[in-house]
Amino acid sequence: MTTTRGESHSFFDDLDALLAGSLVLPEDPTYDQVRQLWNGRVNTHPAVLVRCADAQDVVHAVSWARTHGFALSVHGGGHDFAGRGLREDGVVIDCSQMRAVTIDPETHTARIQAGATVDDLIGASQQYGLAMTTGIVSSVGMAGLTLGGGYGPLMSKYGLVTDNLLSAQVVTVDGQLVTASATEHADLFWGLRGGGGNFGVMVSLEYRLHPVTMVLAGLLLYPLDQAREVLRFYDQFIKTSPDELTIQAGFLKMPDGMTVLFLHPVYCGPLEEGERVLKQLRTFVTPLVDQIQPVMYYDLVHALDAPMPKGRYYFIQTQSLDGLCAETVEALIECAQQFSSPFSAISLHHFHGAASRVAVSETAFALRQDHLLVEIIAAWEPQSPEEDQRHLQWAQGGSRALAPYALKGGYVNLLDEGEQERVPLAFGPNYERLLKLKRMYDPDDVFHSTIGHVKPTASQE
């Protein structure tokens, strides 16, 4: 359903009257600002954004949109590169103003609202000496991160973000507010942990926290001509890494235009032990730069804020590798040599330890073996459609070069809209169970704002 600009305000009057929050319509002066996501490349025009103030606003918005036949999407932190939080001519349930965080230092738990970001959670928990697995970009929304699984530098010690979810309040397609946990709606709780945004709107989430304040972390930078040697060593070193250590690797461009290989270890155990564990990594060859030092975890999660600003254009491709071989090392180096933009990067996320020891059937997130998630990030300032295409082709080319050596499927939070065929493979043996859950909680496929939607085909219904 669509509405014309002239009739928008009156058409939505009955919805507006129900809300504690507010509506933003195309004719409103804040419309373009409110619909702007992290990825400036997304240029979607919803019919209305419902800026929810609380869970009851979400209930009203879902019920109203269903009654009037509007497509729905859910906007949390707004950091999804594919822009799935917005629907063209649809109703956007915008939870970005719902950012309250409550910490219980006695039980080491946190309860957050749906719009809370990594910064909100870590900012509130650090004063109690607590933290949990998060990504390392502070503006990422916790709800979306959880729904996809949630990689981060503490996952080898404490599991994925989704492994730390204790309960969630969810608004279902029929406008009901239910609690999902290990003891209530346990099937829904299973699906929320890595199954994508397919079953309802999470309006609050409860997490387990851990005693983390300082970590030993920082960049090691190497010239490109040392990349083969360093990556061969890295591949062997991570095979015996303790749970306290994750080592992100990748390539980036320096301000002077030089392309470098980076290693980014994060050690979350005792700092003295971390110094011992990292000694060989820091000395087997001499890096250009060694920035490893004790750092507050709060500061660590702000490390990429400046290099990945809101409003720049982004396009991401991913592949998962069970390790590095000569062919994948060469493919990565060639991709780095052909960077299409000084803002682009390649990142290898190190998955092992506690995250690997969770049984495949325990959560919807299925890739539980040790692996490296390779993230090929095209980032650029827009110039022309032709230039945009060049950056997309660079990322796609890098992904294609790795694909013959990659594990099946993909990380649903970072799949592109053109990669729908990878979704069943990403969920692996959990896919059929997700289809059944979808038919139970959302048979009309109302909630499919992530690429990981599991809409049943005609033969599956």
Side-chain angles (χ1 to χ4, degrees):
M1 180 178 290
T2 61
T3 61
T4 65
R5 285 181 177 263
E7 66 181 2
S8 290
H9 270 296
S10 59
F11 183 82
F12 293 106
D13 278 351
D14 55 340
L15 173 59
D16 194 22
L18 297 171
L19 301 174
S22 61
L23 300 181
V24 178
L25 299 158
E27 57 266 39
D28 293 333
T30 60
Y31 177 78
D32 285 333
Q33 176 186 349
V34 172
R35 71 180 180 90
Q36 176 67 65
L37 303 181
W38 169 72
N39 187 357
R41 185 168 165 260
V42 177
N43 189 30
T44 304
H45 295 80
V48 62
L49 295 100
V50 184
R51 308 207 87 185
C52 298
D54 53 30
Q56 196 57 47
D57 278 1
V58 176
V59 170
H60 290 315
V62 170
S63 299
W64 189 94
R66 291 279 283 151
T67 298
H68 292 81
F70 277 87
L72 277 172
S73 66
V74 184
H75 176 295
H79 211 278
D80 171 48
F81 90 96
R84 292 168 285 222
L86 304 182
R87 292 291 298 277
E88 192 71 28
D89 293 323
V91 171
V92 177
I93 299 175
D94 183 348
C95 298
S96 63
Q97 306 302 294
M98 298 169 57
R99 295 175 61 173
V101 177
T102 303
I103 306 297
D104 186 334
E106 298 299 321
T107 61
H108 286 196
T109 58
R111 184 171 294 279
I112 70 171
Q113 288 184 305
T117 64
V118 169
D119 176 66
D120 295 325
L121 176 57
I122 300 303
S125 61
Q126 68 163 347
Q127 61 183 303
Y128 301 103
L130 300 171
M132 62 165 282
T133 303
T134 65
I136 54 172
V137 177
S138 69
S139 58
V140 169
M142 287 300 303
L145 192 62
T146 303
L147 286 167
Y151 288 67
L154 300 183
M155 64 183 169
S156 60
K157 179 65 175 176
Y158 299 115
L160 292 168
V161 173
T162 206
D163 298 332
N164 290 278
L165 185 69
L166 297 174
S167 68
Q169 284 192 311
V170 182
V171 177
T172 62
V173 70
D174 56 358
Q176 298 298 308
L177 181 63
V178 303
T179 297
S181 69
T183 57
E184 300 177 80
H185 295 280
D187 52 351
L188 177 59
F189 182 58
W190 177 87
L192 295 174
R193 291 179 291 161
N198 304 307
F199 310 110
V201 186
M202 287 205 298
V203 293
S204 74
L205 305 91
E206 180 190 16
Y207 294 105
R208 179 187 303 108
L209 300 176
H210 307 279
V212 177
T213 50
M214 300 290 292
V215 296
L216 188 65
L219 285 174
L220 298 169
L221 302 180
Y222 304 88
L224 207 54
D225 60 10
Q226 289 185 327
R228 291 174 184 83
E229 179 184 6
V230 174
L231 286 176
R232 283 196 298 268
F233 181 86
Y234 169 77
D235 183 57
Q236 293 302 311
F237 190 83
I238 61 175
K239 290 177 181 176
T240 58
S241 294
D243 287 2
E244 291 81 5
L245 178 63
T246 61
I247 310 175
Q248 188 177 0
F251 299 86
L252 52 81
K253 274 190 174 292
M254 301 293 285
D256 63 3
M258 179 183 181
T259 299
V260 296
L261 169 72
F262 72 84
L263 300 182
H264 186 234
V266 177
Y267 187 89
C268 65
L271 297 182
E272 288 186 6
E273 178 64 12
E275 294 280 3
R276 186 194 66 78
V277 170
L278 292 176
K279 183 176 180 180
Q280 187 181 11
L281 184 71
R282 301 171 76 174
T283 59
F284 83 100
V285 298
T286 303
L288 293 170
V289 173
D290 180 342
Q291 297 178 338
I292 295 174
Q293 61 184 328
V295 62
M296 295 288 292
Y297 188 69
Y298 177 83
D299 295 326
L300 178 69
V301 301
H302 287 77
L304 289 182
D305 289 356
M308 295 289 175
K310 181 177 180 178
R312 187 170 282 167
Y313 278 31
Y314 297 97
F315 179 75
I316 299 174
Q317 294 279 273
T318 60
Q319 296 288 350
S320 294
L321 307 174
D322 63 3
L324 295 175
C325 62
E327 290 80 5
T328 53
V329 167
E330 291 305 315
L332 288 166
I333 293 173
E334 182 176 356
C335 189
Q337 289 171 330
Q338 298 173 357
F339 272 136
S340 62
S341 163
F343 307 118
S344 296
I346 301 169
S347 179
L348 283 66
H349 299 273
H350 177 203
F351 185 104
H352 77 115
S356 290
R357 292 194 291 270
V358 176
V360 170
S361 61
E362 189 170 327
T363 68
F365 185 93
L367 185 55
R368 290 296 183 169
Q369 70 182 81
D370 289 4
H371 64 273
L372 297 169
L373 172 66
V374 182
E375 189 177 358
I376 304 173
I377 308 166
W380 69 98
E381 298 296 340
Q383 293 179 320
S384 68
E386 293 76 22
E387 278 294 294
D388 292 352
Q389 193 62 32
R390 183 171 67 87
H391 300 299
L392 268 62
Q393 290 172 348
W394 169 77
Q396 291 167 335
S399 179
R400 282 196 301 270
L402 294 172
Y405 312 98
L407 301 169
K408 303 299 182 184
Y411 179 40
V412 293
N413 270 357
L414 294 177
L415 290 183
D416 179 49
E417 292 178 351
E419 299 180 288
Q420 189 63 44
E421 75 285 350
R422 297 178 68 186
V423 172
L425 298 173
F427 293 124
N430 293 333
Y431 187 64
E432 290 300 322
R433 183 174 173 184
L434 283 166
L435 289 178
K436 293 177 182 178
L437 197 62
K438 181 70 169 176
R439 287 193 287 267
M440 181 185 304
Y441 281 95
D442 185 18
D444 297 327
D445 195 31
V446 172
F447 297 112
H448 56 271
S449 58
T450 76
I451 200 64
H453 75 268
V454 286
K455 179 179 180 180
T457 63
S459 63
Q460 294 165 331
E461 291 177 338

